[in-house]
Amino acid sequence: MAAFIFLIALFTLMATAPPAYAAAALLITVDRSGKGDYRKIQDAIDAVPSNNKELVFITGNDSGNIIESATLTVLASDFVGRYLTIQNTFRKHGVQAVALRISGDRLAFFGCRILGYQDTLLDETGRHYYRNCYIEGAVDFICGNAASLFEITGERTAILGRPWGPYSRVVFALTYVSNIILPRGWDDWGDASKPSTVFYGEYKCYGAGANVSQRVEWSQNLSVEEIELFLTKNISGCRSWIRSTPKHFKKSFAAISNNSTQHS
């Protein structure tokens, strides 16, 4: 089985705490050419002290189990990923192969590429925010139980969503929807009882795929009053915890300075 591919040239792990706890982020740079702190991602992970609150696991390409197959798993809270490419290269229909699994609270991803085939992004639990990210997959490529806000685009043929479990809630608002979205919009996953508990809605979307005239009867075309809650970042509380890009960095791991001397 081939190893997973990490396509970014520079990997930055920012072990950041909320502003009240830290004035500067801890910056570790991985560069295969030897110009960073480490040449390998795993070496950077191994350098983090065992008592550090930021827990990140990097594994190889795997499949068959939605929890254990992830290329990258983030269990800690207050993690920020910027400009990362995370990929699970396993491709077989009907077999789960997660690229990114996130289960911490208050996680944000900016400009990231998350690539896989089935169940690409397991947005498992917690409150999460995605902006300008590219998420690719063929089957259920975004799934999970988290309260998340996505500001992303898409392509190819797809539906807007289907209920993995009861009380699934998905809303598309003020979104450009191309003709990749099938006219029915949503799917009940072959269980006629599931639509009774879901909340699937659209509000003032536009584009060739935004025509709601052929949507399933249990989806909703939301009113101004109904959409108000969803048009702010309060849906995941992220307005209070999303932090701007750090401008000041520090290096405190002794292992970094020791390792850097090996690059000369």
Side-chain angles (χ1 to χ4, degrees):
M1 186 177 295
F4 77 88
I5 301 172
F6 212 102
L7 296 176
I8 199 163
L10 295 177
F11 175 83
T12 301
L13 171 66
M14 291 185 291
T16 59
Y21 299 99
L26 179 64
L27 177 68
I28 303 173
T29 301
V30 175
D31 186 342
R32 287 180 295 181
S33 70
K35 296 180 180 179
D37 301 303
Y38 298 97
R39 293 176 183 269
K40 298 180 179 180
I41 295 171
Q42 190 60 58
D43 289 342
I45 299 300
D46 292 342
V48 179
S50 59
N51 62 347
N52 186 71
K53 293 182 179 180
E54 194 72 21
L55 303 176
V56 182
F57 298 92
I58 304 292
T59 66
N61 181 24
D62 202 356
S63 64
N65 184 298
I66 196 169
I67 299 298
E68 299 176 357
S69 66
T71 297
L72 172 62
T73 297
V74 182
L75 304 178
S77 298
D78 300 304
F79 176 88
V80 178
R82 300 180 191 274
Y83 313 116
L84 302 177
T85 296
I86 306 161
Q87 183 177 28
N88 190 325
T89 59
F90 188 90
R91 297 178 65 88
K92 183 177 180 181
H93 186 75
V95 180
Q96 296 168 320
V98 176
L100 174 62
R101 172 195 169 203
I102 53 175
S103 298
D105 194 25
R106 302 181 301 274
L107 274 69
F109 293 85
F110 301 89
C112 292
R113 289 167 53 82
I114 306 167
L115 312 174
Y117 185 72
Q118 180 162 341
D119 299 344
T120 304
L121 170 60
L122 177 54
D123 197 47
E124 192 171 20
T125 60
R127 295 168 293 172
H128 310 145
Y129 176 66
Y130 303 82
R131 182 176 177 85
N132 295 330
C133 292
Y134 176 82
I135 304 170
E136 178 183 290
V139 182
D140 297 335
F141 55 93
I142 300 176
C143 56
N145 298 305
S148 300
L149 175 61
F150 292 84
E151 295 183 353
I152 57 176
T153 59
E155 60 182 35
R156 298 192 180 180
T157 301
I159 56 173
L160 296 172
R162 62 177 183 168
W164 191 4
Y167 304 103
S168 174
R169 181 171 64 168
V170 181
V171 171
F172 288 82
L174 304 174
T175 301
Y176 172 74
V177 183
S178 68
N179 59 3
I180 69 165
I181 299 301
L182 298 175
R184 71 178 188 273
W186 311 87
D187 186 84
D188 64 6
W189 213 326
D191 185 344
S193 66
K194 286 185 175 179
S196 64
T197 64
V198 304
F199 184 90
Y200 288 165
E202 299 169 66
Y203 174 77
K204 287 190 176 180
C205 295
Y206 59 99
N211 187 337
V212 298
S213 62
Q214 298 183 54
R215 292 290 194 256
V216 293
E217 62 181 11
W218 38 270
S219 66
Q220 302 184 50
N221 193 18
L222 303 177
S223 66
V224 174
E225 293 75 19
E226 290 172 322
I227 199 61
E228 184 175 358
L229 170 65
F230 300 97
L231 291 184
T232 72
K233 291 184 172 62
N234 292 335
I235 183 63
S236 62
C238 55
R239 185 178 299 278
S240 64
W241 52 261
I242 289 180
R243 303 183 298 281
S244 59
T245 302
K247 295 181 173 58
H248 304 285
F249 297 94
K250 62 182 179 180
K251 293 184 178 181
S252 62
F253 294 165
I256 293 179
S257 59
N258 293 338
N259 189 78
S260 296
T261 60
Q262 300 175 10
H263 293 168
S264 58

